[in-house]
Amino acid sequence: MQISEKQIQQVNNQIQRLVAAGSFYGKKLAEAGISGVSSCEDFTKLPFSEKNDLREAYPLGLMTAPEEDIVRIHSSSGTTGLPVIIPYTAKDVDDWAIMFKRCYEMAGITKLDRIQVTPGYGLWTAGIGFQNGAEKLGSMVIPMGPGNTDKQLQMMMDMKSTVLCSTSSYALLLAEEIEKRGIKDKIHLKKGVIGSERWGEKMRKRISEELGIELYDIYGLTEIYGPGIGISCKYDCGMHYWDDYIYIEIIDPVTLKPVPDGEMGEIVITTLVKEGAPLIRYRTHDLSRIIPGVCECGSPYPRLDVIMGRTDDMMKIKGVNVFPSQIEEVLREFPEVSSEYQIRISHLDGKDTMRIYVETNGTVDFADLSRRIAEKVKSRIGFTPLVKVVELGVLPRSEKKSKRVIDERYE
Ligand code: ZN
């Protein structure tokens, strides 16, 4: 998506706001001699921002509005080192709720829906984002937060929740639990708004069929408001994102040059109207592409394809770049395996090996299935993995993001 005149003007305002505040990025821009942008060319010369740099601004270095205007902070959990703190003004909080309301509306959710929110509340942006958007819309929120599956299902039945907001792994766990307990006829869910991790078509189908609901993918990250900056529509062909609040470009993660619409690359986001902590050309490390053309739903908002992985998920095995999504696509061709899988990479006797664990039920020949999957993977990525077939239910399920790739070479 070429940046528009209006967006250039908005980016220019963001830069001036940063520089005037002398915040972390304001100083960086000033040091680089940047005081504004007036053309598309100027824009593509702006430096990128990175999560690692944001950590350097800990605790409040990103704060770009006067303290009296800041009403809240959120933080993204760093698995290593310091967390990133994002300050929000009242307008930022409201803008986020407006975007989230649009997401619900895109999914056909109304004031009469009862929305069960299972993502966590607290420092991170998940639960509260789902909640504020739902309240903006006027729906009834059931603010459960994660875990406590017994209570979760009890409330789902008693409150007759019609919308489930959750991660895909937790939705799957709930679906399996509902089936196990034989309570499907007491569940009133119609839609699921699923966010925060990459998930395959197979898992999606399972959740959708077992719960009997329509699913919508929601996109977002704490550094840029939180979840709710984009969502899929009923035609399920990518996620519409709100280009009056954010500008998205796709870059080649190696050359850092923008790629044409339709090509896969890393999502880079620039905020257009943020006050508390504007970000310019923020590298998300999420892989996707802009889907060219207009969606069948007629929405004027552009579309991102589903997230295909992370640039840092890229595994270099035997000198070949491999993405987990490639393995997932192969597994999708085998109806006899479940949606769960695990990839383990190790280094033995001087060479890399990749083991893929898949689950199936007891009715198929494990050895034969393993051989057939290994052949397909080889034709896709160029070398033969070891495929281990295990019984259904053996691989770990989690209420949080499933860890599907384990690289034992660096442990
Ligand atoms: Zn659409």
PDB file of all heavy atoms in Angstrom, residues 330-354:
ATOM      1  N   VAL A 330       2.025 -28.733   4.852  1.00  0.00           N
ATOM      2  CA  VAL A 330       2.147 -30.136   4.456  1.00  0.00           C
ATOM      3  C   VAL A 330       1.230 -30.998   5.328  1.00  0.00           C
ATOM      4  O   VAL A 330       0.476 -31.835   4.824  1.00  0.00           O
ATOM      5  CB  VAL A 330       3.617 -30.625   4.574  1.00  0.00           C
ATOM      6  CG1 VAL A 330       3.700 -32.132   4.387  1.00  0.00           C
ATOM      7  CG2 VAL A 330       4.498 -29.902   3.562  1.00  0.00           C
ATOM      8  N   LEU A 331       1.254 -30.745   6.637  1.00  0.00           N
ATOM      9  CA  LEU A 331       0.458 -31.568   7.553  1.00  0.00           C
ATOM     10  C   LEU A 331      -1.041 -31.446   7.266  1.00  0.00           C
ATOM     11  O   LEU A 331      -1.808 -32.366   7.477  1.00  0.00           O
ATOM     12  CB  LEU A 331       0.755 -31.197   9.012  1.00  0.00           C
ATOM     13  CG  LEU A 331       2.184 -31.468   9.483  1.00  0.00           C
ATOM     14  CD1 LEU A 331       2.361 -31.046  10.931  1.00  0.00           C
ATOM     15  CD2 LEU A 331       2.545 -32.946   9.319  1.00  0.00           C
ATOM     16  N   ARG A 332      -1.409 -30.274   6.783  1.00  0.00           N
ATOM     17  CA  ARG A 332      -2.816 -30.024   6.449  1.00  0.00           C
ATOM     18  C   ARG A 332      -3.331 -30.993   5.381  1.00  0.00           C
ATOM     19  O   ARG A 332      -4.516 -31.238   5.268  1.00  0.00           O
ATOM     20  CB  ARG A 332      -2.926 -28.594   5.920  1.00  0.00           C
ATOM     21  CG  ARG A 332      -4.067 -27.820   6.498  1.00  0.00           C
ATOM     22  CD  ARG A 332      -4.050 -26.408   5.987  1.00  0.00           C
ATOM     23  NE  ARG A 332      -3.158 -25.560   6.766  1.00  0.00           N
ATOM     24  CZ  ARG A 332      -2.690 -24.382   6.343  1.00  0.00           C
ATOM     25  NH1 ARG A 332      -2.993 -23.929   5.138  1.00  0.00           N
ATOM     26  NH2 ARG A 332      -1.912 -23.667   7.115  1.00  0.00           N
ATOM     27  N   GLU A 333      -2.399 -31.519   4.577  1.00  0.00           N
ATOM     28  CA  GLU A 333      -2.815 -32.437   3.515  1.00  0.00           C
ATOM     29  C   GLU A 333      -3.108 -33.840   4.054  1.00  0.00           C
ATOM     30  O   GLU A 333      -3.507 -34.718   3.294  1.00  0.00           O
ATOM     31  CB  GLU A 333      -1.720 -32.532   2.440  1.00  0.00           C
ATOM     32  CG  GLU A 333      -1.499 -31.224   1.700  1.00  0.00           C
ATOM     33  CD  GLU A 333      -0.225 -31.267   0.840  1.00  0.00           C
ATOM     34  OE1 GLU A 333       0.144 -32.357   0.381  1.00  0.00           O
ATOM     35  OE2 GLU A 333       0.388 -30.193   0.661  1.00  0.00           O
ATOM     36  N   PHE A 334      -2.869 -34.035   5.350  1.00  0.00           N
ATOM     37  CA  PHE A 334      -3.108 -35.356   5.933  1.00  0.00           C
ATOM     38  C   PHE A 334      -4.275 -35.294   6.911  1.00  0.00           C
ATOM     39  O   PHE A 334      -4.109 -34.913   8.065  1.00  0.00           O
ATOM     40  CB  PHE A 334      -1.849 -35.863   6.661  1.00  0.00           C
ATOM     41  CG  PHE A 334      -0.704 -36.159   5.721  1.00  0.00           C
ATOM     42  CD1 PHE A 334       0.163 -35.153   5.317  1.00  0.00           C
ATOM     43  CD2 PHE A 334      -0.523 -37.444   5.228  1.00  0.00           C
ATOM     44  CE1 PHE A 334       1.193 -35.411   4.428  1.00  0.00           C
ATOM     45  CE2 PHE A 334       0.519 -37.725   4.347  1.00  0.00           C
ATOM     46  CZ  PHE A 334       1.384 -36.704   3.942  1.00  0.00           C
ATOM     47  N   PRO A 335      -5.467 -35.678   6.445  1.00  0.00           N
ATOM     48  CA  PRO A 335      -6.643 -35.577   7.309  1.00  0.00           C
ATOM     49  C   PRO A 335      -6.544 -36.474   8.544  1.00  0.00           C
ATOM     50  O   PRO A 335      -7.227 -36.244   9.538  1.00  0.00           O
ATOM     51  CB  PRO A 335      -7.797 -36.033   6.410  1.00  0.00           C
ATOM     52  CG  PRO A 335      -7.170 -36.713   5.261  1.00  0.00           C
ATOM     53  CD  PRO A 335      -5.791 -36.191   5.116  1.00  0.00           C
ATOM     54  N   GLU A 336      -5.651 -37.470   8.497  1.00  0.00           N
ATOM     55  CA  GLU A 336      -5.576 -38.394   9.637  1.00  0.00           C
ATOM     56  C   GLU A 336      -4.769 -37.858  10.820  1.00  0.00           C
ATOM     57  O   GLU A 336      -4.765 -38.451  11.881  1.00  0.00           O
ATOM     58  CB  GLU A 336      -5.060 -39.777   9.197  1.00  0.00           C
ATOM     59  CG  GLU A 336      -3.730 -39.827   8.468  1.00  0.00           C
ATOM     60  CD  GLU A 336      -3.824 -39.608   6.952  1.00  0.00           C
ATOM     61  OE1 GLU A 336      -4.362 -38.556   6.537  1.00  0.00           O
ATOM     62  OE2 GLU A 336      -3.322 -40.457   6.194  1.00  0.00           O
ATOM     63  N   VAL A 337      -4.064 -36.700  10.653  1.00  0.00           N
ATOM     64  CA  VAL A 337      -3.344 -36.166  11.806  1.00  0.00           C
ATOM     65  C   VAL A 337      -4.110 -34.995  12.424  1.00  0.00           C
ATOM     66  O   VAL A 337      -4.849 -34.300  11.739  1.00  0.00           O
ATOM     67  CB  VAL A 337      -1.879 -35.728  11.474  1.00  0.00           C
ATOM     68  CG1 VAL A 337      -1.104 -36.881  10.865  1.00  0.00           C
ATOM     69  CG2 VAL A 337      -1.838 -34.504  10.585  1.00  0.00           C
ATOM     70  N   SER A 338      -3.927 -34.774  13.739  1.00  0.00           N
ATOM     71  CA  SER A 338      -4.642 -33.701  14.432  1.00  0.00           C
ATOM     72  C   SER A 338      -3.973 -32.359  14.128  1.00  0.00           C
ATOM     73  O   SER A 338      -2.967 -32.300  13.431  1.00  0.00           O
ATOM     74  CB  SER A 338      -4.636 -33.940  15.940  1.00  0.00           C
ATOM     75  OG  SER A 338      -3.416 -33.493  16.503  1.00  0.00           O
ATOM     76  N   SER A 339      -4.532 -31.287  14.689  1.00  0.00           N
ATOM     77  CA  SER A 339      -3.974 -29.959  14.404  1.00  0.00           C
ATOM     78  C   SER A 339      -2.729 -29.664  15.239  1.00  0.00           C
ATOM     79  O   SER A 339      -2.055 -28.679  15.020  1.00  0.00           O
ATOM     80  CB  SER A 339      -5.037 -28.900  14.675  1.00  0.00           C
ATOM     81  OG  SER A 339      -5.538 -29.050  15.980  1.00  0.00           O
ATOM     82  N   GLU A 340      -2.439 -30.516  16.200  1.00  0.00           N
ATOM     83  CA  GLU A 340      -1.257 -30.278  17.040  1.00  0.00           C
ATOM     84  C   GLU A 340      -0.020 -30.914  16.411  1.00  0.00           C
ATOM     85  O   GLU A 340      -0.091 -32.004  15.848  1.00  0.00           O
ATOM     86  CB  GLU A 340      -1.466 -30.894  18.432  1.00  0.00           C
ATOM     87  CG  GLU A 340      -2.610 -30.276  19.207  1.00  0.00           C
ATOM     88  CD  GLU A 340      -2.437 -28.783  19.417  1.00  0.00           C
ATOM     89  OE1 GLU A 340      -1.378 -28.365  19.911  1.00  0.00           O
ATOM     90  OE2 GLU A 340      -3.364 -28.026  19.077  1.00  0.00           O
ATOM     91  N   TYR A 341       1.087 -30.206  16.524  1.00  0.00           N
ATOM     92  CA  TYR A 341       2.340 -30.788  16.047  1.00  0.00           C
ATOM     93  C   TYR A 341       3.482 -30.135  16.809  1.00  0.00           C
ATOM     94  O   TYR A 341       3.298 -29.107  17.464  1.00  0.00           O
ATOM     95  CB  TYR A 341       2.528 -30.586  14.542  1.00  0.00           C
ATOM     96  CG  TYR A 341       2.689 -29.149  14.162  1.00  0.00           C
ATOM     97  CD1 TYR A 341       3.949 -28.578  14.036  1.00  0.00           C
ATOM     98  CD2 TYR A 341       1.579 -28.331  13.963  1.00  0.00           C
ATOM     99  CE1 TYR A 341       4.102 -27.235  13.719  1.00  0.00           C
ATOM    100  CE2 TYR A 341       1.713 -26.996  13.654  1.00  0.00           C
ATOM    101  CZ  TYR A 341       2.977 -26.453  13.536  1.00  0.00           C
ATOM    102  OH  TYR A 341       3.126 -25.130  13.248  1.00  0.00           O
ATOM    103  N   GLN A 342       4.638 -30.728  16.740  1.00  0.00           N
ATOM    104  CA  GLN A 342       5.800 -30.122  17.377  1.00  0.00           C
ATOM    105  C   GLN A 342       7.017 -30.409  16.515  1.00  0.00           C
ATOM    106  O   GLN A 342       7.146 -31.491  15.962  1.00  0.00           O
ATOM    107  CB  GLN A 342       5.981 -30.730  18.766  1.00  0.00           C
ATOM    108  CG  GLN A 342       6.843 -29.886  19.654  1.00  0.00           C
ATOM    109  CD  GLN A 342       6.897 -30.438  21.070  1.00  0.00           C
ATOM    110  OE1 GLN A 342       7.508 -31.462  21.312  1.00  0.00           O
ATOM    111  NE2 GLN A 342       6.249 -29.760  21.998  1.00  0.00           N
ATOM    112  N   ILE A 343       7.866 -29.398  16.395  1.00  0.00           N
ATOM    113  CA  ILE A 343       9.089 -29.571  15.607  1.00  0.00           C
ATOM    114  C   ILE A 343      10.266 -29.466  16.565  1.00  0.00           C
ATOM    115  O   ILE A 343      10.338 -28.515  17.343  1.00  0.00           O
ATOM    116  CB  ILE A 343       9.198 -28.472  14.525  1.00  0.00           C
ATOM    117  CG1 ILE A 343       8.008 -28.556  13.564  1.00  0.00           C
ATOM    118  CG2 ILE A 343      10.522 -28.585  13.767  1.00  0.00           C
ATOM    119  CD1 ILE A 343       7.909 -27.381  12.614  1.00  0.00           C
ATOM    120  N   ARG A 344      11.152 -30.432  16.529  1.00  0.00           N
ATOM    121  CA  ARG A 344      12.363 -30.372  17.356  1.00  0.00           C
ATOM    122  C   ARG A 344      13.573 -30.458  16.445  1.00  0.00           C
ATOM    123  O   ARG A 344      13.678 -31.348  15.612  1.00  0.00           O
ATOM    124  CB  ARG A 344      12.411 -31.524  18.354  1.00  0.00           C
ATOM    125  CG  ARG A 344      11.474 -31.314  19.527  1.00  0.00           C
ATOM    126  CD  ARG A 344      11.538 -32.476  20.502  1.00  0.00           C
ATOM    127  NE  ARG A 344      10.705 -32.172  21.655  1.00  0.00           N
ATOM    128  CZ  ARG A 344      11.171 -31.630  22.783  1.00  0.00           C
ATOM    129  NH1 ARG A 344      12.456 -31.357  22.914  1.00  0.00           N
ATOM    130  NH2 ARG A 344      10.351 -31.348  23.776  1.00  0.00           N
ATOM    131  N   ILE A 345      14.468 -29.497  16.639  1.00  0.00           N
ATOM    132  CA  ILE A 345      15.676 -29.493  15.819  1.00  0.00           C
ATOM    133  C   ILE A 345      16.853 -29.757  16.740  1.00  0.00           C
ATOM    134  O   ILE A 345      16.966 -29.131  17.791  1.00  0.00           O
ATOM    135  CB  ILE A 345      15.863 -28.129  15.144  1.00  0.00           C
ATOM    136  CG1 ILE A 345      14.588 -27.759  14.389  1.00  0.00           C
ATOM    137  CG2 ILE A 345      17.039 -28.144  14.179  1.00  0.00           C
ATOM    138  CD1 ILE A 345      14.391 -26.289  14.299  1.00  0.00           C
ATOM    139  N   SER A 346      17.688 -30.685  16.351  1.00  0.00           N
ATOM    140  CA  SER A 346      18.857 -30.935  17.193  1.00  0.00           C
ATOM    141  C   SER A 346      20.090 -31.120  16.319  1.00  0.00           C
ATOM    142  O   SER A 346      19.997 -31.217  15.101  1.00  0.00           O
ATOM    143  CB  SER A 346      18.614 -32.149  18.081  1.00  0.00           C
ATOM    144  OG  SER A 346      18.108 -33.205  17.312  1.00  0.00           O
ATOM    145  N   HIS A 347      21.193 -31.131  16.983  1.00  0.00           N
ATOM    146  CA  HIS A 347      22.463 -31.270  16.269  1.00  0.00           C
ATOM    147  C   HIS A 347      23.159 -32.505  16.819  1.00  0.00           C
ATOM    148  O   HIS A 347      23.583 -32.532  17.964  1.00  0.00           O
ATOM    149  CB  HIS A 347      23.306 -30.014  16.503  1.00  0.00           C
ATOM    150  CG  HIS A 347      24.465 -29.915  15.586  1.00  0.00           C
ATOM    151  ND1 HIS A 347      24.343 -29.542  14.263  1.00  0.00           N
ATOM    152  CD2 HIS A 347      25.786 -30.168  15.789  1.00  0.00           C
ATOM    153  CE1 HIS A 347      25.530 -29.545  13.691  1.00  0.00           C
ATOM    154  NE2 HIS A 347      26.432 -29.929  14.596  1.00  0.00           N
ATOM    155  N   LEU A 348      23.209 -33.550  16.007  1.00  0.00           N
ATOM    156  CA  LEU A 348      23.771 -34.821  16.461  1.00  0.00           C
ATOM    157  C   LEU A 348      24.840 -35.292  15.486  1.00  0.00           C
ATOM    158  O   LEU A 348      24.640 -35.238  14.275  1.00  0.00           O
ATOM    159  CB  LEU A 348      22.679 -35.899  16.517  1.00  0.00           C
ATOM    160  CG  LEU A 348      21.676 -35.831  17.671  1.00  0.00           C
ATOM    161  CD1 LEU A 348      20.572 -36.858  17.463  1.00  0.00           C
ATOM    162  CD2 LEU A 348      22.367 -36.047  19.007  1.00  0.00           C
ATOM    163  N   ASP A 349      25.954 -35.761  16.035  1.00  0.00           N
ATOM    164  CA  ASP A 349      27.044 -36.287  15.205  1.00  0.00           C
ATOM    165  C   ASP A 349      27.404 -35.338  14.065  1.00  0.00           C
ATOM    166  O   ASP A 349      27.535 -35.757  12.914  1.00  0.00           O
ATOM    167  CB  ASP A 349      26.673 -37.670  14.626  1.00  0.00           C
ATOM    168  CG  ASP A 349      26.306 -38.650  15.720  1.00  0.00           C
ATOM    169  OD1 ASP A 349      26.900 -38.543  16.816  1.00  0.00           O
ATOM    170  OD2 ASP A 349      25.415 -39.499  15.497  1.00  0.00           O
ATOM    171  N   GLY A 350      27.481 -34.062  14.392  1.00  0.00           N
ATOM    172  CA  GLY A 350      27.931 -33.103  13.396  1.00  0.00           C
ATOM    173  C   GLY A 350      26.899 -32.701  12.356  1.00  0.00           C
ATOM    174  O   GLY A 350      27.199 -31.997  11.403  1.00  0.00           O
ATOM    175  N   LYS A 351      25.628 -33.149  12.510  1.00  0.00           N
ATOM    176  CA  LYS A 351      24.647 -32.653  11.547  1.00  0.00           C
ATOM    177  C   LYS A 351      23.305 -32.329  12.183  1.00  0.00           C
ATOM    178  O   LYS A 351      22.940 -32.879  13.219  1.00  0.00           O
ATOM    179  CB  LYS A 351      24.487 -33.611  10.358  1.00  0.00           C
ATOM    180  CG  LYS A 351      24.280 -35.029  10.753  1.00  0.00           C
ATOM    181  CD  LYS A 351      24.129 -35.913   9.519  1.00  0.00           C
ATOM    182  CE  LYS A 351      23.630 -37.274   9.999  1.00  0.00           C
ATOM    183  NZ  LYS A 351      23.503 -38.273   9.042  1.00  0.00           N
ATOM    184  N   ASP A 352      22.583 -31.427  11.522  1.00  0.00           N
ATOM    185  CA  ASP A 352      21.273 -31.021  12.008  1.00  0.00           C
ATOM    186  C   ASP A 352      20.238 -32.089  11.688  1.00  0.00           C
ATOM    187  O   ASP A 352      20.255 -32.657  10.592  1.00  0.00           O
ATOM    188  CB  ASP A 352      20.818 -29.731  11.294  1.00  0.00           C
ATOM    189  CG  ASP A 352      21.653 -28.536  11.707  1.00  0.00           C
ATOM    190  OD1 ASP A 352      22.327 -28.599  12.742  1.00  0.00           O
ATOM    191  OD2 ASP A 352      21.616 -27.525  10.966  1.00  0.00           O
ATOM    192  N   THR A 353      19.343 -32.327  12.639  1.00  0.00           N
ATOM    193  CA  THR A 353      18.204 -33.175  12.310  1.00  0.00           C
ATOM    194  C   THR A 353      16.930 -32.466  12.729  1.00  0.00           C
ATOM    195  O   THR A 353      16.910 -31.720  13.709  1.00  0.00           O
ATOM    196  CB  THR A 353      18.225 -34.528  13.058  1.00  0.00           C
ATOM    197  OG1 THR A 353      18.373 -34.261  14.451  1.00  0.00           O
ATOM    198  CG2 THR A 353      19.325 -35.435  12.586  1.00  0.00           C
ATOM    199  N   MET A 354      15.892 -32.720  11.970  1.00  0.00           N
ATOM    200  CA  MET A 354      14.592 -32.159  12.322  1.00  0.00           C
ATOM    201  C   MET A 354      13.638 -33.313  12.574  1.00  0.00           C
ATOM    202  O   MET A 354      13.480 -34.186  11.721  1.00  0.00           O
ATOM    203  CB  MET A 354      14.060 -31.274  11.200  1.00  0.00           C
ATOM    204  CG  MET A 354      12.659 -30.775  11.507  1.00  0.00           C
ATOM    205  SD  MET A 354      12.145 -29.384  10.484  1.00  0.00           S
ATOM    206  CE  MET A 354      11.815 -30.177   8.971  1.00  0.00           C
TER     207      MET A 354
END
